[in-house]
Amino acid sequence: VDNDVFPVDAKAIKAAFARTPSCATIAELDRLCNADHAGGVDARVALHVAGCLRCRTELALLKHFEAATPHPEDEPWLAERVARDLPAVLHRAAAPAAPAPTRADPRRRRLRTIGAGLAVACAALVVVLNVREAQPPPLATDVGRGSAVFRSREVTLLGPAGDLGEPPRELRWEPVPGATTYAIRVMEVDRDELWSGESREEAARLPPAVRARMVPGKSLLWQVIATDAAGKVIATSEVGRFRVTAPAQQTP
Amino acid sequence: VPNSNGTATWAALDRLERARRERETRLQELTDNELIAHYLAATEGTQRSVWLHELFRRHYAKVLTWCMRFTGNRDDASDLAQATFARAQRHLATFRGDSRFSTWLYAVTRSECMSWLQARRGRPEAVEAETLEELPDAGEASPELALERAGTAKVVHALLDEALDDTEKQVFTLHYGDDLPLDVITRLLGLTNRSGAKGFIVRARRKLARAVAAWKARDQALDA
Protein backbone atom coordinates (compact mmCIF):
# COMPACT_ATOMS: atom_id res chain seq x y z
CA VAL A 1 0.00 0.00 0.00
CA ASP A 2 1.36 3.38 -0.97
CA ASN A 3 1.21 5.64 2.07
CA ASP A 4 1.17 8.77 -0.13
CA VAL A 5 -2.22 7.95 -1.54
CA PHE A 6 -3.71 6.63 1.71
CA PRO A 7 -6.35 9.19 2.61
CA VAL A 8 -6.29 9.06 6.44
CA ASP A 9 -3.38 9.98 8.69
CA ALA A 10 -2.14 7.96 11.67
CA LYS A 11 -3.50 10.31 14.32
CA ALA A 12 -7.00 10.22 12.87
CA ILE A 13 -6.84 6.42 12.89
CA LYS A 14 -5.58 6.45 16.49
CA ALA A 15 -8.41 8.79 17.44
CA ALA A 16 -10.91 6.44 15.80
CA PHE A 17 -9.79 3.66 18.13
CA ALA A 18 -9.37 5.70 21.30
CA ARG A 19 -11.30 4.64 24.39
CA THR A 20 -14.22 6.89 25.24
CA PRO A 21 -16.01 7.34 28.57
CA SER A 22 -18.82 5.22 27.14
CA CYS A 23 -16.54 2.26 26.48
CA ALA A 24 -17.29 -0.88 28.49
CA THR A 25 -15.25 -1.70 31.58
CA ILE A 26 -13.65 -5.11 31.87
CA ALA A 27 -16.44 -6.17 34.25
CA GLU A 28 -19.07 -5.12 31.72
CA LEU A 29 -17.28 -7.00 28.96
CA ASP A 30 -17.18 -9.99 31.29
CA ARG A 31 -20.95 -9.90 31.65
CA LEU A 32 -21.32 -9.74 27.87
CA CYS A 33 -18.97 -12.69 27.60
CA ASN A 34 -20.71 -14.68 30.29
CA ALA A 35 -24.47 -14.85 29.93
CA ASP A 36 -24.79 -16.70 33.24
CA HIS A 37 -23.36 -13.81 35.22
CA ALA A 38 -25.74 -12.76 37.99
CA GLY A 39 -25.39 -9.06 37.10
CA GLY A 40 -26.86 -9.45 33.62
CA VAL A 41 -25.99 -7.16 30.74
CA ASP A 42 -26.77 -3.46 30.81
CA ALA A 43 -28.66 -2.50 27.60
CA ARG A 44 -26.72 0.76 27.31
CA VAL A 45 -23.42 -1.14 27.43
CA ALA A 46 -24.59 -3.76 24.95
CA LEU A 47 -25.67 -1.02 22.57
CA HIS A 48 -22.35 0.79 22.86
CA VAL A 49 -20.30 -2.36 22.35
CA ALA A 50 -22.31 -3.26 19.27
CA GLY A 51 -21.16 -0.03 17.62
CA CYS A 52 -17.64 0.30 19.06
CA LEU A 53 -14.64 -1.25 17.29
CA ARG A 54 -12.45 -0.87 20.38
CA CYS A 55 -14.93 -2.64 22.70
CA ARG A 56 -15.71 -5.39 20.20
CA THR A 57 -12.02 -6.08 19.75
CA GLU A 58 -11.52 -6.19 23.52
CA LEU A 59 -14.43 -8.58 23.78
CA ALA A 60 -12.95 -10.78 21.06
CA LEU A 61 -9.58 -10.84 22.85
CA LEU A 62 -11.24 -11.73 26.14
CA LYS A 63 -13.02 -14.63 24.44
CA HIS A 64 -9.72 -15.76 22.90
CA PHE A 65 -8.14 -15.65 26.36
CA GLU A 66 -10.95 -17.66 27.94
CA ALA A 67 -10.83 -20.25 25.19
CA ALA A 68 -7.04 -20.34 24.92
CA THR A 69 -5.88 -23.85 24.23
CA PRO A 70 -2.21 -24.60 23.76
CA HIS A 71 -0.73 -25.85 20.52
CA PRO A 72 -0.41 -29.66 20.90
CA GLU A 73 3.37 -29.48 20.58
CA ASP A 74 3.48 -26.96 23.45
CA GLU A 75 1.46 -29.12 25.86
CA PRO A 76 4.34 -31.06 27.48
CA TRP A 77 6.33 -27.84 27.87
CA LEU A 78 3.28 -26.11 29.32
CA ALA A 79 2.71 -28.83 31.91
CA GLU A 80 6.38 -28.78 32.86
CA ARG A 81 6.42 -24.99 33.25
CA VAL A 82 3.25 -24.93 35.33
CA ALA A 83 4.75 -27.53 37.65
CA ARG A 84 8.03 -25.62 37.80
CA ASP A 85 6.94 -21.98 37.84
CA LEU A 86 3.82 -22.04 39.98
CA PRO A 87 5.71 -23.06 43.15
CA ALA A 88 8.23 -20.30 42.42
CA VAL A 89 5.45 -17.73 42.12
CA LEU A 90 3.89 -18.90 45.38
CA HIS A 91 7.25 -18.87 47.07
CA ARG A 92 7.72 -15.24 46.08
CA ALA A 93 4.17 -14.49 47.17
CA ALA A 94 4.98 -15.86 50.60
CA ALA A 95 7.98 -13.54 50.80
CA PRO A 96 6.69 -10.13 49.69
CA ALA A 97 10.06 -8.43 50.08
CA ALA A 98 11.53 -10.56 47.32
CA PRO A 99 11.91 -8.77 43.98
CA ALA A 100 9.69 -9.59 41.04
CA PRO A 101 11.24 -11.78 38.33
CA THR A 102 13.60 -9.87 36.12
CA ARG A 103 12.52 -9.50 32.54
CA ALA A 104 14.08 -11.44 29.71
CA ASP A 105 17.75 -10.65 29.29
CA PRO A 106 19.38 -13.16 26.95
CA ARG A 107 22.85 -12.58 28.39
CA ARG A 108 21.77 -13.55 31.89
CA ARG A 109 19.31 -16.27 31.03
CA ARG A 110 21.69 -19.19 31.49
CA LEU A 111 22.78 -18.13 34.97
CA ARG A 112 19.25 -17.30 35.90
CA THR A 113 17.97 -20.65 34.71
CA ILE A 114 20.42 -22.46 36.98
CA GLY A 115 19.53 -20.20 39.91
CA ALA A 116 15.84 -20.55 39.18
CA GLY A 117 16.21 -24.32 39.16
CA LEU A 118 17.61 -24.27 42.67
CA ALA A 119 15.04 -21.75 43.85
CA VAL A 120 12.23 -23.76 42.31
CA ALA A 121 13.47 -26.91 43.97
CA CYS A 122 13.37 -25.16 47.35
CA ALA A 123 10.05 -23.54 46.54
CA ALA A 124 8.58 -26.86 45.43
CA LEU A 125 9.57 -28.38 48.75
CA VAL A 126 8.02 -25.50 50.64
CA VAL A 127 4.78 -25.80 48.70
CA VAL A 128 4.65 -29.56 49.07
CA LEU A 129 5.05 -29.15 52.80
CA ASN A 130 2.50 -26.35 52.86
CA VAL A 131 -0.06 -28.29 50.86
CA ARG A 132 0.48 -31.38 52.92
CA GLU A 133 0.50 -29.79 56.32
CA ALA A 134 -1.57 -26.64 56.10
CA GLN A 135 -5.06 -27.13 57.45
CA PRO A 136 -7.34 -24.27 56.35
CA PRO A 137 -10.18 -24.05 58.87
CA PRO A 138 -13.18 -25.11 56.72
CA LEU A 139 -11.30 -28.06 55.30
CA ALA A 140 -9.74 -29.28 58.51
CA THR A 141 -9.46 -33.05 58.83
CA ASP A 142 -7.59 -35.37 61.15
CA VAL A 143 -4.32 -34.91 59.30
CA GLY A 144 -2.57 -33.32 62.22
CA ARG A 145 -1.81 -36.45 64.20
CA GLY A 146 1.79 -37.44 63.83
CA SER A 147 2.59 -35.37 60.73
CA ALA A 148 5.42 -33.51 62.41
CA VAL A 149 7.21 -36.79 63.07
CA PHE A 150 6.84 -38.05 59.51
CA ARG A 151 8.14 -34.90 57.88
CA SER A 152 11.24 -34.61 60.06
CA ARG A 153 13.47 -36.10 57.34
CA GLU A 154 13.17 -37.60 53.91
CA VAL A 155 14.19 -40.95 52.53
CA THR A 156 15.30 -40.35 48.93
CA LEU A 157 14.09 -43.07 46.58
CA LEU A 158 16.57 -44.16 43.89
CA GLY A 159 14.46 -46.59 41.90
CA PRO A 160 12.55 -48.06 40.23
CA ALA A 161 10.79 -45.07 38.65
CA GLY A 162 8.89 -44.42 35.43
CA ASP A 163 8.32 -47.01 32.72
CA LEU A 164 10.21 -50.28 32.99
CA GLY A 165 10.82 -53.03 30.48
CA GLU A 166 10.31 -55.73 33.09
CA PRO A 167 9.21 -55.98 36.72
CA PRO A 168 11.92 -54.60 39.02
CA ARG A 169 14.01 -57.08 40.99
CA GLU A 170 14.68 -54.73 43.85
CA LEU A 171 13.81 -51.36 45.35
CA ARG A 172 16.63 -48.98 46.25
CA TRP A 173 16.92 -45.77 48.24
CA GLU A 174 19.60 -43.57 49.78
CA PRO A 175 20.80 -44.39 53.30
CA VAL A 176 19.46 -42.33 56.18
CA PRO A 177 21.99 -41.59 58.96
CA GLY A 178 20.88 -43.25 62.18
CA ALA A 179 18.47 -45.65 60.50
CA THR A 180 18.76 -49.31 61.45
CA THR A 181 15.67 -50.66 59.70
CA TYR A 182 13.65 -49.68 56.71
CA ALA A 183 9.99 -50.64 56.20
CA ILE A 184 9.02 -50.83 52.54
CA ARG A 185 5.61 -51.04 50.94
CA VAL A 186 4.48 -51.53 47.33
CA MET A 187 0.93 -50.41 46.55
CA GLU A 188 -1.51 -50.16 43.73
CA VAL A 189 -2.58 -46.63 42.76
CA ASP A 190 -5.59 -46.79 45.07
CA ARG A 191 -3.00 -47.53 47.79
CA ASP A 192 -4.09 -51.14 48.30
CA GLU A 193 -1.02 -52.94 49.51
CA LEU A 194 0.63 -55.37 47.08
CA TRP A 195 3.60 -56.19 49.27
CA SER A 196 5.41 -54.93 52.35
CA GLY A 197 8.68 -55.90 53.96
CA GLU A 198 11.64 -54.81 56.02
CA SER A 199 15.32 -54.39 55.26
CA ARG A 200 18.43 -53.46 57.19
CA GLU A 201 20.11 -52.25 53.98
CA GLU A 202 19.24 -49.52 51.46
CA ALA A 203 17.59 -52.00 49.14
CA ALA A 204 14.91 -54.69 49.22
CA ARG A 205 14.57 -57.64 46.85
CA LEU A 206 11.08 -58.27 45.54
CA PRO A 207 9.86 -61.90 45.78
CA PRO A 208 9.14 -63.58 42.39
CA ALA A 209 5.50 -64.01 43.41
CA VAL A 210 5.18 -60.25 43.83
CA ARG A 211 6.96 -59.52 40.56
CA ALA A 212 4.59 -61.89 38.79
CA ARG A 213 1.67 -59.77 40.02
CA MET A 214 3.06 -56.62 38.37
CA VAL A 215 0.70 -56.47 35.43
CA PRO A 216 1.99 -54.63 32.35
CA GLY A 217 0.52 -51.14 31.97
CA LYS A 218 -0.54 -50.83 35.59
CA SER A 219 1.12 -48.11 37.67
CA LEU A 220 2.42 -49.08 41.10
CA LEU A 221 3.46 -46.95 44.05
CA TRP A 222 6.09 -47.59 46.69
CA GLN A 223 7.27 -45.91 49.85
CA VAL A 224 9.95 -46.36 52.50
CA ILE A 225 10.04 -45.55 56.22
CA ALA A 226 13.33 -45.38 58.14
CA THR A 227 13.39 -46.30 61.84
CA ASP A 228 16.20 -46.04 64.39
CA ALA A 229 17.42 -48.65 66.85
CA ALA A 230 14.63 -47.75 69.28
CA GLY A 231 12.02 -48.40 66.59
CA LYS A 232 11.24 -44.71 66.24
CA VAL A 233 10.37 -43.39 62.77
CA ILE A 234 13.07 -40.94 61.74
CA ALA A 235 12.31 -40.39 58.05
CA THR A 236 9.78 -41.22 55.35
CA SER A 237 9.98 -41.05 51.58
CA GLU A 238 7.69 -39.48 49.07
CA VAL A 239 5.57 -41.99 47.16
CA GLY A 240 7.52 -43.41 44.19
CA ARG A 241 5.77 -44.55 41.04
CA PHE A 242 6.68 -47.03 38.32
CA ARG A 243 4.97 -49.05 35.62
CA VAL A 244 5.89 -52.24 33.83
CA THR A 245 5.34 -51.82 30.13
CA ALA A 246 6.42 -55.32 28.95
CA PRO A 247 4.92 -58.66 30.05
CA ALA A 248 6.41 -60.16 33.20
CA GLN A 249 9.05 -62.86 32.58
CA GLN A 250 9.88 -65.70 34.91
CA THR A 251 13.40 -65.22 36.26
CA PRO A 252 15.33 -67.25 38.76
CA VAL B 1 6.65 -58.23 57.40
CA PRO B 2 6.65 -54.81 59.08
CA ASN B 3 6.78 -54.79 62.85
CA SER B 4 4.03 -53.21 64.89
CA ASN B 5 5.69 -49.79 64.64
CA GLY B 6 5.87 -50.08 60.88
CA THR B 7 2.21 -51.11 60.62
CA ALA B 8 1.14 -48.19 62.76
CA THR B 9 3.23 -45.86 60.63
CA TRP B 10 1.77 -47.12 57.37
CA ALA B 11 -1.70 -46.64 58.79
CA ALA B 12 -0.85 -43.08 59.81
CA LEU B 13 0.61 -42.35 56.38
CA ASP B 14 -2.55 -43.70 54.78
CA ARG B 15 -4.60 -41.39 56.97
CA LEU B 16 -2.45 -38.48 55.84
CA GLU B 17 -2.85 -39.41 52.21
CA ARG B 18 -6.61 -39.77 52.55
CA ALA B 19 -6.77 -36.41 54.28
CA ARG B 20 -4.67 -34.82 51.55
CA ARG B 21 -6.97 -36.18 48.87
CA GLU B 22 -10.03 -35.02 50.76
CA ARG B 23 -8.52 -31.58 51.09
CA GLU B 24 -7.75 -31.45 47.38
CA THR B 25 -11.26 -32.55 46.51
CA ARG B 26 -12.78 -29.92 48.76
CA LEU B 27 -10.48 -27.24 47.39
CA GLN B 28 -11.50 -28.16 43.86
CA GLU B 29 -15.16 -27.75 44.78
CA LEU B 30 -14.67 -24.14 45.85
CA THR B 31 -15.29 -21.31 43.39
CA ASP B 32 -12.53 -18.86 42.51
CA ASN B 33 -14.24 -16.19 44.56
CA GLU B 34 -14.43 -18.47 47.59
CA LEU B 35 -10.73 -19.27 47.28
CA ILE B 36 -9.92 -15.56 47.14
CA ALA B 37 -12.10 -14.86 50.17
CA HIS B 38 -10.32 -17.61 52.13
CA TYR B 39 -6.94 -16.36 50.97
CA LEU B 40 -7.65 -12.80 52.04
CA ALA B 41 -9.12 -13.91 55.37
CA ALA B 42 -6.22 -16.21 56.24
CA THR B 43 -3.44 -14.66 58.26
CA GLU B 44 -0.95 -17.50 58.44
CA GLY B 45 1.43 -17.91 55.50
CA THR B 46 1.11 -21.64 54.89
CA GLN B 47 -2.68 -21.51 55.03
CA ARG B 48 -2.76 -18.62 52.57
CA SER B 49 -0.55 -20.43 50.10
CA VAL B 50 -2.96 -23.38 49.96
CA TRP B 51 -5.80 -21.16 48.70
CA LEU B 52 -3.52 -19.25 46.36
CA HIS B 53 -1.99 -22.42 44.95
CA GLU B 54 -5.39 -23.81 44.01
CA LEU B 55 -6.55 -20.48 42.56
CA PHE B 56 -3.44 -19.96 40.45
CA ARG B 57 -3.20 -23.63 39.48
CA ARG B 58 -6.59 -23.36 37.77
CA HIS B 59 -5.52 -20.47 35.56
CA TYR B 60 -1.77 -20.85 35.12
CA ALA B 61 -1.88 -22.80 31.86
CA LYS B 62 -4.34 -20.34 30.33
CA VAL B 63 -2.18 -17.33 31.17
CA LEU B 64 0.98 -19.10 30.03
CA THR B 65 -0.70 -20.03 26.75
CA TRP B 66 -1.74 -16.44 26.22
CA CYS B 67 1.75 -15.16 27.03
CA MET B 68 3.18 -17.70 24.62
CA ARG B 69 0.97 -16.30 21.90
CA PHE B 70 1.91 -12.77 22.79
CA THR B 71 5.67 -13.23 22.95
CA GLY B 72 6.12 -16.05 20.48
CA ASN B 73 8.82 -17.67 22.58
CA ARG B 74 8.79 -19.91 25.61
CA ASP B 75 11.32 -18.18 27.85
CA ASP B 76 9.68 -14.77 27.60
CA ALA B 77 6.24 -16.36 28.01
CA SER B 78 7.37 -18.11 31.16
CA ASP B 79 8.83 -14.87 32.61
CA LEU B 80 5.71 -12.96 31.67
CA ALA B 81 3.35 -15.49 33.24
CA GLN B 82 5.34 -15.39 36.47
CA ALA B 83 5.28 -11.59 36.47
CA THR B 84 1.52 -11.67 35.81
CA PHE B 85 0.78 -13.95 38.75
CA ALA B 86 3.15 -12.03 41.02
CA ARG B 87 1.22 -8.89 40.15
CA ALA B 88 -2.12 -10.64 40.53
CA GLN B 89 -1.08 -11.79 44.00
CA ARG B 90 -0.01 -8.28 45.00
CA HIS B 91 -3.31 -6.78 43.87
CA LEU B 92 -5.66 -9.60 44.78
CA ALA B 93 -7.20 -7.52 47.55
CA THR B 94 -8.46 -5.09 44.89
CA PHE B 95 -10.49 -7.81 43.17
CA ARG B 96 -14.06 -6.80 43.93
CA GLY B 97 -15.79 -9.81 42.45
CA ASP B 98 -17.79 -7.78 39.93
CA SER B 99 -16.34 -9.94 37.15
CA ARG B 100 -15.07 -13.49 36.98
CA PHE B 101 -11.60 -13.86 38.42
CA SER B 102 -10.38 -15.11 35.03
CA THR B 103 -11.52 -11.85 33.42
CA TRP B 104 -9.74 -9.82 36.06
CA LEU B 105 -6.68 -11.98 35.46
CA TYR B 106 -7.00 -11.33 31.73
CA ALA B 107 -6.81 -7.60 32.41
CA VAL B 108 -3.66 -8.12 34.50
CA THR B 109 -2.15 -10.37 31.83
CA ARG B 110 -2.91 -7.93 29.04
CA SER B 111 -1.39 -5.08 30.99
CA GLU B 112 1.77 -7.08 31.74
CA CYS B 113 2.04 -8.07 28.09
CA MET B 114 1.74 -4.47 26.94
CA SER B 115 4.43 -3.40 29.42
CA TRP B 116 6.65 -6.19 28.13
CA LEU B 117 6.12 -4.94 24.61
CA GLN B 118 7.01 -1.38 25.60
CA ALA B 119 10.21 -2.58 27.25
CA ARG B 120 11.06 -4.71 24.24
CA ARG B 121 10.63 -1.76 21.93
CA GLY B 122 13.32 0.01 23.92
CA ARG B 123 15.81 -2.70 23.00
CA PRO B 124 17.63 -2.14 19.68
CA GLU B 125 17.62 -5.82 18.71
CA ALA B 126 13.81 -5.91 18.83
CA VAL B 127 13.17 -3.19 16.27
CA GLU B 128 13.86 -5.24 13.19
CA ALA B 129 11.81 -8.15 14.42
CA GLU B 130 8.63 -6.11 14.59
CA THR B 131 6.54 -5.53 11.57
CA LEU B 132 4.88 -2.15 11.59
CA GLU B 133 2.69 -0.95 8.80
CA GLU B 134 3.19 2.80 8.82
CA LEU B 135 0.43 5.26 8.10
CA PRO B 136 1.07 8.80 6.86
CA ASP B 137 1.51 11.22 9.76
CA ALA B 138 0.39 14.81 9.29
CA GLY B 139 2.40 15.93 12.31
CA GLU B 140 1.28 17.87 15.38
CA ALA B 141 -2.23 19.21 15.15
CA SER B 142 -3.18 22.86 15.06
CA PRO B 143 -6.55 23.52 16.82
CA GLU B 144 -8.26 23.54 13.43
CA LEU B 145 -6.57 20.34 12.37
CA ALA B 146 -7.35 18.70 15.72
CA LEU B 147 -11.02 19.57 15.27
CA GLU B 148 -10.95 18.25 11.74
CA ARG B 149 -9.18 15.13 12.94
CA ALA B 150 -11.83 14.48 15.61
CA GLY B 151 -14.50 14.71 12.94
CA THR B 152 -12.44 12.54 10.62
CA ALA B 153 -11.99 9.96 13.38
CA LYS B 154 -15.76 9.55 13.65
CA VAL B 155 -16.05 9.16 9.90
CA VAL B 156 -13.12 6.75 9.81
CA HIS B 157 -14.70 4.70 12.61
CA ALA B 158 -17.98 4.52 10.70
CA LEU B 159 -16.25 3.66 7.43
CA LEU B 160 -14.10 0.98 9.05
CA ASP B 161 -17.15 -0.54 10.65
CA GLU B 162 -19.00 -0.52 7.37
CA ALA B 163 -16.24 -1.61 5.01
CA LEU B 164 -14.24 -4.23 6.92
CA ASP B 165 -15.09 -7.73 8.04
CA ASP B 166 -14.82 -8.70 11.72
CA THR B 167 -11.27 -10.04 11.57
CA GLU B 168 -10.03 -7.06 9.57
CA LYS B 169 -11.58 -4.74 12.15
CA GLN B 170 -9.88 -6.57 15.00
CA VAL B 171 -6.51 -6.61 13.25
CA PHE B 172 -6.83 -2.94 12.36
CA THR B 173 -7.83 -1.95 15.89
CA LEU B 174 -5.01 -3.89 17.54
CA HIS B 175 -2.37 -2.72 15.08
CA TYR B 176 -3.24 0.94 14.77
CA GLY B 177 -5.09 1.41 18.04
CA ASP B 178 -2.78 -0.52 20.35
CA ASP B 179 0.40 -0.55 18.24
CA LEU B 180 0.60 -4.33 18.45
CA PRO B 181 3.08 -5.85 15.99
CA LEU B 182 1.54 -7.93 13.24
CA ASP B 183 3.20 -11.18 14.36
CA VAL B 184 1.68 -10.76 17.83
CA ILE B 185 -1.77 -10.13 16.35
CA THR B 186 -1.42 -13.19 14.12
CA ARG B 187 -0.78 -15.39 17.15
CA LEU B 188 -3.31 -13.74 19.49
CA LEU B 189 -6.16 -14.07 17.03
CA GLY B 190 -5.00 -17.49 15.86
CA LEU B 191 -4.85 -16.38 12.21
CA THR B 192 -3.91 -19.29 9.99
CA ASN B 193 -3.67 -17.65 6.57
CA ARG B 194 -0.18 -17.57 5.05
CA SER B 195 0.57 -13.89 5.57
CA GLY B 196 -1.25 -13.70 8.91
CA ALA B 197 -2.29 -10.24 10.16
CA LYS B 198 -0.31 -8.48 7.42
CA GLY B 199 -2.67 -9.87 4.78
CA PHE B 200 -5.68 -8.56 6.70
CA ILE B 201 -4.08 -5.13 7.15
CA VAL B 202 -3.24 -4.77 3.46
CA ARG B 203 -6.76 -5.78 2.48
CA ALA B 204 -8.33 -3.54 5.13
CA ARG B 205 -6.31 -0.51 4.04
CA ARG B 206 -7.37 -0.99 0.44
CA LYS B 207 -11.00 -1.28 1.49
CA LEU B 208 -10.70 1.77 3.72
CA ALA B 209 -9.05 3.81 0.96
CA ARG B 210 -11.91 2.93 -1.39
CA ALA B 211 -14.51 3.69 1.27
CA VAL B 212 -12.94 7.09 2.05
CA ALA B 213 -12.78 7.95 -1.65
CA ALA B 214 -16.45 7.02 -2.09
CA TRP B 215 -17.40 9.03 1.00
CA LYS B 216 -15.50 12.09 -0.28
CA ALA B 217 -17.16 11.79 -3.67
CA ARG B 218 -20.58 11.65 -1.99
CA ASP B 219 -19.65 14.61 0.21
CA GLN B 220 -18.54 16.67 -2.79
CA ALA B 221 -21.68 15.75 -4.70
CA LEU B 222 -23.82 16.96 -1.79
CA ASP B 223 -21.84 20.22 -1.60
CA ALA B 224 -22.38 20.79 -5.28
Side-chain angles (χ1 to χ4, degrees), chain A residues 29-240:
Chain A
L29 289 177
D30 179 65
R31 284 193 278 278
L32 279 171
C33 210
N34 175 22
D36 297 333
H37 197 290
V41 180
D42 187 309
R44 178 195 61 81
V45 173
L47 196 64
H48 169 84
V49 171
C52 177
L53 291 172
R54 151 72 47 206
C55 287
R56 290 215 303 274
T57 301
E58 282 301 328
L59 189 60
L61 280 187
L62 177 57
K63 285 177 178 172
H64 275 287
F65 176 79
E66 290 293 346
T69 48
H71 194 279
E73 71 183 26
D74 284 332
E75 280 178 7
W77 166 79
L78 205 72
E80 181 260 320
R81 283 300 165 99
V82 173
R84 194 197 77 172
D85 292 351
L86 179 54
V89 168
L90 293 170
H91 182 60
R92 275 195 290 271
T102 53
R103 286 297 167 74
D105 180 349
R107 290 168 298 179
R108 296 185 177 178
R109 193 178 295 287
R110 274 178 71 87
L111 273 176
R112 209 182 58 198
T113 304
I114 295 166
L118 292 171
V120 165
C122 295
L125 182 61
V126 167
V127 168
V128 165
L129 293 178
N130 286 347
V131 170
R132 275 175 171 270
E133 294 184 353
Q135 298 166 47
L139 304 175
T141 61
D142 62 344
V143 295
R145 280 174 283 175
S147 62
V149 176
F150 300 141
R151 289 291 138 193
S152 56
R153 272 154 74 186
E154 288 275 329
V155 180
T156 303
L157 303 182
L158 296 177
D163 286 344
L164 310 172
E166 61 175 17
R169 292 168 195 279
E170 65 175 14
L171 310 170
R172 292 168 51 246
W173 55 93
E174 285 186 354
V176 175
T180 55
T181 310
Y182 299 94
I184 312 102
R185 183 168 65 158
V186 179
M187 302 162 281
E188 298 187 348
V189 287
D190 58 4
R191 296 180 84 84
D192 276 354
E193 187 173 291
L194 189 68
W195 175 80
S196 63
E198 270 192 2
S199 173
R200 292 186 175 278
E201 298 168 350
E202 295 84 52
R205 284 191 71 80
L206 289 168
V210 175
R211 296 181 67 227
R213 291 174 64 192
M214 294 179 174
V215 182
K218 191 170 174 181
S219 291
L220 294 171
L221 312 176
W222 66 290
Q223 198 168 16
V224 176
I225 299 172
T227 54
D228 64 12
K232 184 186 166 200
V233 173
I234 57 171
T236 61
S237 73
E238 290 294 331
V239 177

Side-chain angles (χ1 to χ4, degrees), chain B residues 65-120:
Chain B
T65 301
W66 180 261
C67 293
M68 180 67 195
R69 287 183 186 176
F70 201 93
T71 62
N73 81 76
R74 292 175 169 183
D75 286 328
D76 284 339
S78 183
D79 286 349
L80 207 42
Q82 287 189 58
T84 297
F85 279 98
R87 186 169 166 190
Q89 183 271 331
R90 285 198 303 276
H91 296 281
L92 203 51
T94 67
F95 175 69
R96 297 190 304 269
D98 52 2
S99 71
R100 286 172 297 177
F101 172 71
S102 63
T103 301
W104 183 82
L105 191 58
Y106 161 73
V108 177
T109 308
R110 193 187 194 291
S111 169
E112 276 296 315
C113 287
M114 294 305 285
S115 301
W116 174 83
L117 194 60
Q118 293 282 344
R120 183 169 170 262

Side-chain angles (χ1 to χ4, degrees), chain B residues 144-161:
Chain B
E144 294 78 17
L145 185 56
L147 197 63
E148 187 188 323
R149 207 171 253 155
T152 308
K154 281 186 183 174
V155 174
V156 168
H157 189 283
L159 291 175
L160 283 169
D161 209 9

Side-chain angles (χ1 to χ4, degrees), chain B residues 123-187:
Chain B
R123 295 211 309 266
E125 72 270 17
V127 173
E128 279 185 26
E130 290 182 8
T131 316
L132 291 169
E133 287 290 305
E134 299 281 336
L135 282 173
D137 191 338
E140 289 306 307
S142 63
E144 294 78 17
L145 185 56
L147 197 63
E148 187 188 323
R149 207 171 253 155
T152 308
K154 281 186 183 174
V155 174
V156 168
H157 189 283
L159 291 175
L160 283 169
D161 209 9
E162 191 182 295
L164 308 188
D165 69 26
D166 282 346
T167 307
E168 289 164 352
K169 287 173 196 170
Q170 287 167 15
V171 171
F172 218 84
T173 307
L174 291 172
H175 190 56
Y176 293 122
D178 289 346
D179 296 327
L180 283 188
L182 294 172
D183 57 336
V184 174
I185 298 172
T186 300
R187 290 191 299 269

